Amino acid sequence: MAEPMKRLPKLPVERALKVISGRWKPVILYHVFSGPKRLSELKRMMPEITQKVLIHQLREMEEHGLVRREVFAEVPARVEYTATKLGLGLEPILLALCQWGQNHAEAQGELDELADCIVRPRHPEVIAA
Amino acid sequence: MAEPMKRLPKLPVERALKVISGRWKPVILYHVFSGPKRLSELKRMMPEITQKVLIHQLREMEEHGLVRREVFAEVPARVEYTATKLGLGLEPILLALCQWGQNHAEAQGELDELADCIVRPRHPEVIAA
DNA sequence: CTGTATCCGTGCCGATACTG
DNA sequence: CAGTATCGGCACGGATACAG
């Protein structure tokens, strides 16, 4: 029973934020940007996420046109999630957010040890040119 | 009793998102970007928001270093909220989000009448150059 | 492997009333 | 004018068990 399709906010900024904020969406997007991924792959890439939640986030992103879900008639069946054009348009923005986040962590979180995580550039690089 | 100071996420993207997502934060930022604002001014600019919530959001943004709160010893006392350098660094990003949001609305929300709202450019302008 | 169904804690945020 | 206190709804997301 498909839910009533929650309306997105009218204001563009809020709309965009609504669409990309979800506990795991940025990370999922990050992985999907590098090519089509199977559910099990994504699950393996994010050990901490629950399958239910992973699927739920994927469903929302699909509904919002960020990713495309494709089922291949094989045995056993294979399902791939791919970033759409619209979704790819978020890549530079997410990168910018990432850089700002690092910047912010250095400025604010004094001794805030940054996570040794994937979703950030190797070398900080100068942000404010 | 100051709350335990919730730790921000370790991943830069999530950190950034956490900091800017809040029902009214983008709008507040938008207004504050155009210069220092008093509480009552902000309240007037956003009739829909509750005072309690407005203050709460401002408090968080202050704690996260996005805005600075200044009290002037006058009679009656005056309080101004100003965007910090860190906060100003978000302006281009929010603009990008806004543009992406419009783009998204056109692509997705077919007949989604865009709000006749402040937080978006007058003329769409070409996004994908 | 890919999904669904259920239960439930927690945080956000709105409404309302009150204070210096 | 600027701010606090309290209450309550509701969406989000985590745990777990089950199914095609």
Side-chain angles (χ1 to χ4, degrees):
Chain A
M1 206 154 288
E3 281 140 41
M5 170 62 162
K6 296 166 191 168
R7 301 285 291 174
L8 288 173
K10 307 280 171 283
L11 278 82
V13 214
E14 296 183 349
R15 185 187 187 94
L17 280 172
K18 183 86 177 181
V19 153
I20 61 176
S21 48
R23 179 65 182 81
W24 296 96
K25 285 180 188 171
V27 187
I28 296 177
L29 281 172
Y30 173 81
H31 289 303
V32 146
F33 282 156
S34 66
K37 296 282 174 293
R38 305 187 51 166
L39 183 72
S40 46
E41 285 182 288
L42 289 171
K43 181 72 190 64
R44 231 174 302 119
M45 291 166 129
M46 300 171 285
E48 313 229 72
I49 197 178
T50 295
Q51 238 180 41
K52 175 209 160 184
V53 174
L54 174 55
I55 292 183
H56 190 237
Q57 306 262 309
L58 284 169
R59 284 271 145 35
E60 284 185 357
M61 294 169 69
E62 190 192 357
E63 180 181 335
H64 295 154
L66 304 191
V67 298
R68 184 177 36 251
R69 179 175 176 273
E70 277 165 312
V71 189
F72 297 87
E74 305 175 356
V75 179
R78 182 173 47 129
V79 179
E80 277 187 3
Y81 293 91
T82 318
T84 64
K85 259 200 142 166
L86 215 45
L88 282 172
L90 285 171
E91 198 164 14
I93 298 184
L94 288 179
L95 182 62
L97 279 170
C98 179
Q99 294 175 331
W100 187 91
Q102 291 179 63
N103 189 14
H104 181 262
E106 289 161 20
Q108 278 278 293
E110 325 279 349
L111 8 152
D112 229 359
E113 25 163 314
L114 285 177
D116 190 26
C117 182
I118 345 177
V119 194
R120 70 182 168 112
R122 293 284 158 207
H123 299 287
E125 304 177 20
V126 183
I127 295 173
Chain B
M1 206 156 289
E3 282 142 39
M5 170 59 163
K6 297 166 192 168
R7 301 285 290 173
L8 289 172
K10 307 282 172 283
L11 278 83
V13 213
E14 297 183 348
R15 186 187 187 97
L17 280 172
K18 183 87 178 183
V19 153
I20 62 175
S21 47
R23 179 66 183 81
W24 296 96
K25 285 179 188 171
V27 187
I28 296 176
L29 280 172
Y30 174 81
H31 289 302
V32 146
F33 283 154
S34 66
K37 296 282 174 296
R38 306 187 51 163
L39 184 71
S40 46
E41 286 182 286
L42 290 171
K43 181 72 189 66
R44 230 174 304 120
M45 293 166 128
M46 301 171 285
E48 313 229 70
I49 197 178
T50 297
Q51 235 179 41
K52 175 210 161 182
V53 173
L54 173 55
I55 292 183
H56 190 235
Q57 306 261 312
L58 283 168
R59 284 273 142 45
E60 285 186 357
M61 294 170 69
E62 190 192 357
E63 179 181 335
H64 295 154
L66 304 191
V67 298
R68 186 178 32 252
R69 179 175 176 273
E70 277 166 312
V71 188
F72 297 87
E74 304 175 356
V75 178
R78 182 171 48 126
V79 178
E80 276 187 3
Y81 293 90
T82 319
T84 64
K85 259 200 141 168
L86 216 44
L88 283 173
L90 286 171
E91 198 164 15
I93 298 185
L94 288 180
L95 182 62
L97 279 169
C98 179
Q99 295 176 330
W100 187 93
Q102 292 180 63
N103 190 13
H104 181 262
E106 289 161 21
Q108 278 278 294
E110 325 280 349
L111 5 154
D112 229 359
E113 24 164 311
L114 285 177
D116 190 26
C117 181
I118 345 177
V119 193
R120 71 183 168 113
R122 292 286 157 207
H123 299 288
E125 303 178 20
V126 184
I127 295 174

